[in-house]
Amino acid sequence: GQGFVSEDEYLDISDIKRDQSGEYECSALNDVAAPDVRRVKITVNYPPYISKAKNTGVSVGQKGILSCEASAVPMAEFQWFKEDTRLATGLDGVRIENKGRISTLTFFNVSEKDYGNYTCVATNKLGNTNASITLYGPGAVIDGVNSASRALACLWLSGTLFAHFFIKF
């Protein structure tokens, strides 16, 4: 979709970006013969960045899944930690699955000790990044607000708006 034109035998792309990866075509022509066309595939390598990671709420005894998505070329490798402890599949009733850009940490039977902050680390040869993800239970306070107080605030706001509308008309 992007066009670069060069009258020289070289194409210089300064400060190349990851979205400039793709197939490029070189065409050499003169007045004597048909153009000679060659294609080259350009891959732009870049360190990982985590594009999706969200906190998850689940009740004790239920299945819980934390998910982490990272973009990187070459593909990122993932690790999960709880505090300073690296987690591994099969230990403490968890399973880690890495499929392409997504890594999941599955708890088959969530217990109180499972609640807390987890860190997803995505690494390739160019660097690494991490994200903190919280597994929380019902009624937990996340970002200073729990789900019950959110519902109460919404109810209060709805009532206030209704009263304001009713009084105005």
Side-chain angles (χ1 to χ4, degrees), residues 80-85 87 113-119:
W80 286 90
F81 294 85
K82 183 169 186 190
E83 288 145 24
D84 293 330
T85 304
L87 304 175
K113 71 174 182 57
D114 294 324
Y115 294 138
N117 292 321
Y118 292 81
T119 303

Side-chain angles (χ1 to χ4, degrees), residues 18 46 48-53 67-78 80 97-104 120-123 129:
R18 59 180 158 252
Y46 57 93
Y49 71 93
I50 294 178
S51 52
K52 286 185 188 173
S67 180
C68 180
E69 182 175 337
S71 294
V73 176
M75 192 74 70
E77 294 180 11
F78 293 93
W80 286 90
E97 282 187 287
N98 300 322
K99 292 183 180 176
R101 298 168 35 144
I102 299 174
S103 180
T104 57
C120 168
V121 178
T123 306
T129 189

Side-chain angles (χ1 to χ4, degrees), residues 1-4 13-24 41-47 49 71-73 101:
Q2 297 183 36
F4 294 95
I13 304 173
S14 301
D15 195 28
I16 196 164
K17 307 281 187 273
R18 59 180 158 252
D19 65 343
Q20 293 173 313
S21 291
E23 194 168 270
Y24 288 76
K41 184 177 180 182
I42 303 293
T43 301
V44 178
N45 294 323
Y46 57 93
Y49 71 93
S71 294
V73 176
R101 298 168 35 144

Side-chain angles (χ1 to χ4, degrees), residues 47-70:
Y49 71 93
I50 294 178
S51 52
K52 286 185 188 173
K54 78 174 200 184
N55 300 328
T56 301
V58 65
S59 299
V60 170
Q62 300 297 309
K63 181 178 182 180
I65 299 173
L66 298 180
S67 180
C68 180
E69 182 175 337

Side-chain angles (χ1 to χ4, degrees), residues 110-141:
V110 171
S111 69
E112 288 284 339
K113 71 174 182 57
D114 294 324
Y115 294 138
N117 292 321
Y118 292 81
T119 303
C120 168
V121 178
T123 306
N124 73 5
K125 66 182 180 181
L126 298 172
N128 65 65
T129 189
N130 65 70
S132 179
I133 306 170
T134 303
L135 181 68
Y136 61 92
V141 176

